[in-house]
Amino acid sequence: MAITLTNPAGLPEIDVYRQVSVATGSKLVFVAGQVAWGADGVTVGEGDLAAQVEQCYVNVATALAGVGASFDDVAKLNVHVVDWTPDKMPLLLEGISRASARLGATPVPPATLLGVAALDVSEHLVEVEVTAVID
């Protein structure tokens, strides 16, 4: 595994991600932002933030697997949520939890959560992008 995740002393420990990742692999993997499309291109969970978060994470895992990687190789994760407000956090965490259960892994790389005005199509509520490192 090319990624070591850590919470350095002096920074808060956050349950859903680590503050720092150290990459030692030799290949960078950039995954395009994944939205809540199923393999057929139809939006999964229209109007349901938790369901869309789950699908985004599953899509990221599928993209990573396609190049021989997994969430264990993710150095950085960015989440973009339409019209973000802090009261949406339980739905975001529910979606991550459901994806973790489906994938058998809990993704905890350093993460950035960004509120955005809109995404590619109006029914998409969230987009997840990652950068991974593999040997």
Side-chain angles (χ1 to χ4, degrees), residues 6-126:
T6 185
N7 282 315
L11 294 176
E13 289 192 24
I14 309 296
D15 290 341
V16 295
Y17 66 89
R18 301 299 175 263
Q19 296 284 3
V20 175
S21 66
V22 177
T24 58
S26 58
K27 295 179 186 177
L28 293 175
V29 177
F30 300 94
V31 177
Q34 296 297 303
V35 293
W37 277 326
D40 58 2
V42 174
T43 298
V44 173
E46 192 167 338
D48 182 341
L49 180 60
Q52 288 200 17
V53 169
E54 177 183 3
Q55 186 64 43
C56 289
Y57 274 72
V58 168
N59 288 351
V60 167
T62 300
L64 290 168
V67 295
S70 73
F71 267 105
D72 288 339
D73 301 304
V74 173
K76 181 70 171 83
L77 184 144
N78 294 319
V79 179
H80 304 84
V81 182
V82 174
D83 297 326
W84 174 259
T85 55
D87 63 309
K88 293 181 180 178
M89 185 61 81
L91 293 171
L92 178 75
L93 295 176
E94 177 186 337
I96 294 169
S97 178
R98 288 170 22 186
S100 296
R102 277 180 69 182
L103 300 170
T106 302
V108 293
T112 298
L113 172 60
L114 300 167
V116 297
L119 292 171
D120 59 333
V121 295
S122 60
E123 59 266 14
H124 290 157
L125 304 175
V126 62

